[in-house]
Amino acid sequence: MMAKTRRERVVRMSVEQPLWRALTGYRIMTMIYAVLLFVFSREKFERPWVAVAFLAVLAVWTLATLPKVANAASCTKRFLVADLTIALTGIMLTPLADAQAQQIDGPTLPTIWTAGSVLAFAIKGGWRWAGFASSFVAVANIVERGEPSRDTFHNVLLVWVASIAIGYVVEVARASERTLARALEIEAATRERERLARDIHDSVLQVLAMVQRRGASLGGEAAELGRMAGEQEVALRTLVSTGLVPATRASEDASLGAVVRTVEVDAEEDDEDGEGGGRVCDLRSLLAPHAGSKVCFAEPGAPVLLEPAAAMELAAAVSAALDNVRRHAGEDAQAWILVEDWPEEVIVTVRDDGPGIPDGRLAQAEGEGRLGVALSIRGRLRDIGGTAELISVPGQGTEVELKVPRGKAGQAR
């Protein structure tokens, strides 16, 4: 569930969307620039009415087609062809409106607005489309000049190289976005698989291990049953450790859900705006059932309020730690649970007076498919943004410290 929630909260924004916004602004500004350039030099035009007519069409076209350059879906091939046609028409009409433009190597009627048309090709289709469009623009500029100068070739080459470079960058960005999306899907599937493995470890594997031990102690037919249970435990642990368990959603732990006492809390206003409360539960109500003759439970006097999902994962990690105490520290081992409610984080410490864990034993257990600490404890805390630290000294017991930061635990205060 935690993996799915994280995946749903990931907001994927196309990496090319900022480029479309920049292109929209570029087209508007270059259209205004083309109009102002004509206004301040209109006395030089031999046929100013040609320039006025074209610039009017250019202005209307630019403003009317703003939605077309809002994103890749709106920017169709038909629009791109029409847009490029207007740019080429403006270039070819320049000598008709201003015959001196050829002699003095002056700007064309659309001026740098033409580059926006080429950039639209680059963002939409990549470097190949950019090369196609810029080639038409290059030919139109050379024909318009009649006898092109070095500056003409320089400008043509600049537009050609720049548009192809931008198109290539867009293609790389798209490939990176696809890779990121795939990585997020794999991460979500891996976390769901780990969550399911924890559920199996906390229920099925423990039952099989118990049947194996009891069967061996009873003997007779029970011993054979225990042997079969042991074989199934080994097979299931192999599936869990090798990742062959299907990543399907398991049902929520009913035993934990039955203990949760969810309350509606109206958080006090921290500032002038204030914030509303949310569904939270008291962590103490989840941990209190563990208290007994061999488990001492120390808690704050006030409720320890956490988001239900975070509280249930934290309580399940505590349950896994206590199960390890019962299995590895002996029947007579004493355990302590300490809950600390700090403003920045919630800390739960589970300590025992058992023989401790030998060096290298945890790594060996993971290699054997025994993932109690790796999944049921550290995996649960990692999924809710917390940490789990295990300290063990041979002969002096084991201490497991579980920390959940307030912001990542969904605390409503």
Side-chain angles (χ1 to χ4, degrees):
M1 174 176 284
M2 298 300 297
K4 181 180 179 182
T5 300
R6 179 177 178 178
R7 179 173 54 191
E8 290 176 348
R9 290 179 179 177
V10 174
V11 180
R12 288 177 51 199
M13 177 180 177
S14 174
V15 293
E16 52 188 83
Q17 195 59 41
L19 295 177
W20 288 111
R21 288 199 294 266
L23 179 60
T24 301
Y26 178 87
R27 287 168 64 87
I28 294 176
M29 289 187 293
T30 53
M31 178 270 293
I32 295 175
Y33 172 77
V35 172
L36 293 178
L37 189 64
F38 166 74
V39 170
F40 289 113
S41 60
R42 60 184 181 276
E43 66 279 355
K44 299 180 181 179
F45 283 76
E46 298 176 354
R47 299 179 183 85
W49 61 269
V50 175
V52 170
F54 172 78
L55 292 175
V57 172
L58 182 68
V60 172
W61 173 260
T62 302
L63 298 177
T65 57
L66 288 181
K68 290 291 186 179
V69 291
N71 50 65
S74 301
C75 188
T76 62
K77 293 181 180 180
R78 182 177 299 179
F79 163 75
L80 289 175
V81 172
D83 198 58
L84 182 62
T85 300
I86 289 180
L88 297 178
T89 301
I91 294 174
M92 301 307 296
L93 286 176
T94 301
L96 181 62
D98 181 14
Q100 296 181 351
Q102 290 181 323
Q103 302 174 5
I104 62 175
D105 205 17
T108 60
L109 289 178
T111 65
I112 56 177
W113 184 92
T114 305
S117 180
V118 175
L119 292 177
F121 273 85
I123 300 175
K124 173 67 176 181
W127 69 271
R128 294 177 180 83
W129 288 31
F132 172 81
S134 58
S135 297
F136 276 94
V137 173
V139 171
N141 275 282
I142 293 175
V143 171
E144 182 267 334
R145 294 303 177 188
E147 297 180 359
S149 64
R150 183 178 62 180
D151 290 339
T152 300
F153 282 110
H154 173 77
N155 294 333
V156 166
L157 183 62
L158 180 63
V159 173
W160 194 75
V161 172
S163 61
I164 290 180
I166 293 176
Y168 179 76
V169 170
V170 169
E171 289 188 0
V172 172
R174 285 173 180 160
S176 300
E177 186 180 18
R178 289 192 296 268
T179 302
L180 175 61
R182 178 57 180 163
L184 292 174
E185 292 176 0
I186 293 175
E187 181 187 11
T190 301
R191 289 186 177 275
E192 184 67 11
R193 184 183 297 113
E194 291 180 356
R195 188 189 67 82
L196 181 58
R198 289 196 298 266
D199 291 340
I200 293 175
H201 176 274
D202 294 344
S203 56
V204 180
L205 291 177
Q206 293 181 9
V207 171
L208 291 175
M210 181 186 68
V211 172
Q212 182 185 19
R213 292 195 302 269
R214 294 296 300 275
S217 62
L218 292 176
E221 295 183 357
E224 178 63 17
L225 180 62
R227 184 190 65 80
M228 296 174 61
E231 293 177 353
Q232 295 303 313
E233 179 194 5
V234 172
L236 188 54
R237 285 188 187 278
T238 301
L239 289 175
V240 171
S241 61
T242 56
L244 297 179
V245 177
T248 57
R249 289 193 59 188
S251 59
E252 294 297 327
D253 192 335
S255 60
L256 284 175
V259 180
V260 176
R261 294 201 298 266
T262 304
V263 295
E264 296 291 338
V265 175
D266 292 326
E268 296 180 357
E269 294 184 355
D270 295 331
D271 48 32
E272 295 180 358
D273 297 333
E275 295 181 356
R279 277 185 95 237
V280 293
C281 69
D282 187 356
L283 178 64
R284 302 179 307 168
S285 64
L286 295 173
L287 302 181
H290 294 298
S293 59
K294 297 181 180 180
V295 178
C296 180
F297 179 50
E299 59 177 300
V304 182
L305 302 177
L306 289 175
E307 180 184 284
M312 290 175 67
E313 290 295 316
L314 184 55
V318 172
S319 178
L322 292 175
D323 181 69
N324 286 337
V325 173
R326 289 190 291 268
R327 295 181 58 185
H328 304 295
E331 296 293 336
D332 298 329
Q334 185 72 29
W336 293 266
I337 302 175
L338 173 62
V339 179
E340 300 176 79
D341 188 11
W342 297 98
E344 299 84 8
E345 61 186 359
V346 173
I347 304 176
V348 179
T349 305
V350 181
R351 184 180 307 158
D352 66 72
D353 60 357
I357 303 176
D359 293 339
R361 177 55 186 154
L362 290 180
Q364 180 184 355
E366 291 186 23
E368 296 173 353
R370 301 180 181 276
L371 306 177
V373 174
L375 292 181
S376 293
I377 298 179
R378 287 177 179 155
R380 291 184 187 276
L381 269 293
R382 181 194 61 208
D383 285 351
I384 59 176
T387 58
E389 182 178 0
L390 188 145
I391 303 174
S392 181
V393 179
Q396 299 183 22
T398 301
E399 178 178 306
V400 179
E401 187 178 67
L402 312 174
K403 295 182 179 181
V404 180
R406 284 289 182 193
K408 296 182 180 180
Q411 170 70 13
R413 292 184 69 88

